[in-house]
């Protein structure tokens, strides 16, 4: 996949990034990572919050690269675009897309489909990705860091 193919398939649009927008996305990630630590949350709720941070971090990378996922299928398109932004994110993109499907089930179909292990695994991946995403942006787009 390439940016040209994502553009041709109407999965993304080209849109110059700005630091204020990226900083707003960073604040959403920080909120999600703080809230996920609240006492008494179900595994489903922790997973949903960790997923939100994963999706927002992925969007942060995609926006830094100068693209915005289209609104129809935005979560799916975000993870496709993450891999295009840097093939080094391919495994993470696939993992987060699998989490997207699990998140959809616990948000729309039934409660209790996520284990503590699922939630903890996603949270661990998101915390690591937060560091990787910021390092990636700093190396390629220092004016957006």
């Amino acid at each position: 996949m390439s940016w040209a193919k994502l553009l041709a398939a109407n999965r993304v649009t080209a849109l110059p990034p700005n630091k204020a927008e990226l900083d707003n996305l960073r604040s959403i990630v920080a909120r999600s990572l703080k809230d996920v630590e609240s006492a008494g949350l179900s595994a489903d709720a922790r997973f949903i919050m960790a997923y939100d941070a994963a999706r927002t971090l992925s969007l942060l990378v995609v926006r830094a690269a100068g693209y915005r996922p289209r609104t129809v299928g935005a979560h799916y398109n975000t993870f496709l675009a993450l891999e295009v932004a840097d093939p080094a994110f391919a495994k993470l993109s696939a993992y987060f897309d699998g989490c997207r499907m699990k998140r959809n089930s616990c948000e729309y179909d039934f409660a209790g489909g996520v284990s503590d292990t699922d939630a903890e695994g996603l949270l661990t991946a998101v915390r690591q990705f937060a560091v990787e995403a910021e390092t990636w942006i700093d190396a390629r787009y220092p004016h957006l860091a």
Side-chain angles (χ1 to χ4, degrees):
M1 191 67 65
S2 66
W3 289 122
K5 287 182 181 179
L6 289 178
L7 286 163
N10 281 330
R11 295 202 172 275
V12 299
T13 57
L15 183 67
N18 68 68
K19 187 167 181 344
E21 177 191 7
L22 271 59
D23 287 344
N24 288 337
L25 293 173
R26 289 177 176 107
S27 74
I28 293 168
V29 171
R31 180 202 59 207
S32 294
L33 291 176
K34 179 181 174 234
D35 288 353
V36 78
E37 297 300 332
S38 297
L41 292 177
S42 67
D44 285 358
R46 292 183 74 231
F47 189 88
I48 290 165
M49 286 181 202
Y51 171 82
D52 186 54
R55 185 196 53 78
T56 305
L57 281 165
S58 298
L59 179 59
L60 183 72
V61 168
V62 172
R63 289 298 298 122
Y67 296 89
R68 175 176 293 289
R70 301 290 281 202
T71 54
V72 176
H75 292 213
Y76 176 74
N77 292 335
T78 299
F79 299 133
L80 279 177
L82 175 62
E83 184 175 344
V84 173
D86 193 324
F89 294 135
K91 276 185 149 178
L92 202 52
S93 171
Y95 173 64
F96 288 158
D97 191 53
C99 291
R100 175 186 62 84
M101 292 181 275
K102 188 176 282 272
R103 174 252 181 200
N104 287 352
S105 292
C106 70
E107 280 269 80
Y108 306 119
D109 299 331
F110 58 91
V114 173
S115 70
D116 287 328
T117 302
D118 293 333
E120 226 16 77
L122 177 55
L123 187 54
T124 298
V126 168
R127 286 182 178 135
Q128 179 61 40
F129 182 47
V131 173
E132 292 170 3
E134 289 297 347
T135 301
W136 186 89
I137 290 169
D138 189 48
R140 288 162 182 78
Y141 308 100
H143 64 287
L144 298 172

